[in-house]
């Protein structure tokens, strides 16, 4: 039902700047899982902006070589939390400190894309807004009262929301307070890169799995034809 509502919203002119309350329609994340350049940009964003608080304990830096990066490139540009390329993506922040600062420990992001879905992540990362009632000064449309501040406010700029008159909890629109270093289209593209990387990180072998799946299905189809013809040959003289 949610997918049907999303399709109807898109057909009726739903655009990215429009907001939806929690449980409403989500923005569709561009699928760039097969674009290595996009995944490399997403890995850079993840290491620079997410890995300060969130870990990815199931992911090793060495696996980034699957994205076309050399070991030297990984060491020089992405290896900030450890000295060894074979180590996992962990953070130095203690769990106790994280709970004190944010109210709860930031979740591990190894399989967050599989748990939340890419559309949710894409909407979440792009719908932060200023809220002075929150301890961090930030809130989020996709995740109301979230404890996480906006890590991309310098790129996106600071935004507030403006509800329709007399509809405090109804549809709202973003209001730009300060400009970011990126234009809105550039920022949306950057978040698409990051979400695509998170999707890839949740299952680095998914491209290989899909490719093998095609060959397996072709083999099963051919085997079915051969088995059917063999069965016909065995029973052709039996009445």
């Amino acid at each position: 039902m949610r997918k049907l509502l999303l399709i109807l919203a898109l057909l009726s002119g739903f655009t990215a700047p429009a907001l939806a309350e929690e449980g409403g329609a989500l923005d569709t994340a561009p699928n760039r899982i097969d674009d290595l350049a996009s995944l490399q940009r997403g890995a850079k964003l993840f290491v620079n902006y997410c890995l300060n608080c969130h870990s990815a304990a199931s992911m090793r830096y060495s696996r980034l070589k699957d994205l076309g990066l050399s070991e030297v490139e990984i060491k020089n540009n992405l290896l900030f939390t450890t000295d060894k390329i074979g180590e996992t993506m962990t953070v130095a922040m203690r769990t106790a400190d994280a709970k004190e600062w944010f109210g709860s420990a930031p979740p591990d992001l190894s399989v967050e894309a599989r748990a939340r879905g890419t559309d949710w992540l894409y909407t979440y990362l792009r719908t932060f807004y200023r809220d002075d009632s929150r301890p961090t000064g930030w809130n989020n449309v996709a995740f109301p009262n979230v404890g996480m501040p906006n890590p991309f406010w310098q790129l996106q700029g600071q935004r507030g929301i403006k509800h329709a008159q007399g509809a405090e909890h109804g549809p709202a629109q973003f209001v730009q307070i300060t400009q970011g270093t990126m234009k809105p289209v550039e920022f949306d593209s950057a978040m698409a890169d990051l979400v695509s990387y998170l999707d890839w990180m949740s299952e680095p072998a998914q491209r290989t799995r899909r490719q093998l799946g095609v060959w397996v299905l072709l083999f099963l189809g051919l085997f079915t034809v051969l088995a059917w013809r063999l069965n016909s040959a065995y029973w052709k003289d039996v009445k």
Side-chain angles (χ1 to χ4, degrees):
M1 177 61 71
R2 176 174 293 183
K3 290 184 177 179
L4 178 59
L5 291 175
L6 177 57
I7 293 172
L8 292 175
L10 289 172
L11 293 176
S12 63
F14 177 79
T15 57
L19 305 185
E21 299 298 328
E22 184 179 27
L26 299 175
D27 297 346
T28 302
N31 185 357
R32 301 178 178 177
I33 196 68
D34 295 318
D35 186 343
L36 291 182
S38 173
L39 295 177
Q40 291 174 8
R41 294 191 297 268
K44 179 181 178 180
L45 287 168
F46 177 78
V47 171
N48 282 281
Y49 289 93
C50 303
L51 203 54
N52 299 309
C53 301
H54 296 274
S55 62
S58 299
M59 182 69 181
R60 297 187 184 275
Y61 285 96
S62 57
R63 196 64 193 261
L64 295 176
K65 290 189 288 186
D66 293 352
L67 301 182
L69 298 172
S70 67
E71 187 169 324
V72 174
E73 290 174 329
I74 296 172
K75 287 182 177 179
N76 292 341
N77 301 306
L78 300 175
L79 207 64
F80 302 140
T81 64
T82 183
D83 295 327
K84 298 179 181 179
I85 194 172
E87 295 292 329
T88 56
M89 293 182 169
T90 55
V91 294
M93 183 173 58
R94 299 186 305 169
T95 302
D97 291 337
K99 289 182 178 180
E100 180 179 354
W101 296 335
F102 304 113
S104 61
D108 184 277
L109 298 182
S110 299
V111 294
E112 192 71 8
R114 300 187 69 178
R116 293 282 192 177
T118 55
D119 289 349
W120 188 91
L121 289 174
Y122 183 63
T123 304
Y124 169 72
L125 292 172
R126 296 162 50 253
T127 56
F128 278 96
Y129 62 93
R130 295 294 300 177
D131 185 351
D132 293 335
S133 68
R134 299 296 302 156
T136 63
W138 293 94
N139 210 327
N140 190 277
V141 172
F143 193 157
N145 299 325
V146 65
M148 172 180 162
N150 184 6
F152 304 106
W153 70 269
Q154 289 178 311
L155 304 180
Q156 186 185 30
Q158 301 185 60
R159 301 193 299 176
I161 59 172
K162 182 179 180 180
H163 292 277
Q165 187 174 4
E168 181 179 352
H169 301 290
Q173 291 288 332
F174 287 118
V175 177
Q176 198 73 34
I177 300 174
T178 62
Q179 296 298 322
T181 58
M182 288 184 172
K183 296 179 180 179
V185 173
E186 295 173 337
F187 181 76
D188 288 350
S189 181
M191 293 303 99
D193 292 338
L194 176 56
V195 170
S196 294
Y197 170 76
L198 291 171
D199 187 20
W200 173 84
M201 184 173 67
S202 67
E203 188 186 355
Q206 60 182 283
R207 294 176 63 197
T208 302
R209 171 177 57 79
R210 292 200 303 267
Q211 292 170 355
L212 288 176
V214 172
W215 286 107
V216 169
L217 290 175
L218 290 174
F219 169 78
L220 291 176
L222 178 61
F223 181 80
T224 299
V225 173
L226 293 176
W228 174 67
R229 296 300 300 167
L230 183 61
N231 180 73
S232 297
Y234 280 155
W235 290 93
K236 66 179 180 179
D237 296 326
V238 179
K239 296 182 180 180

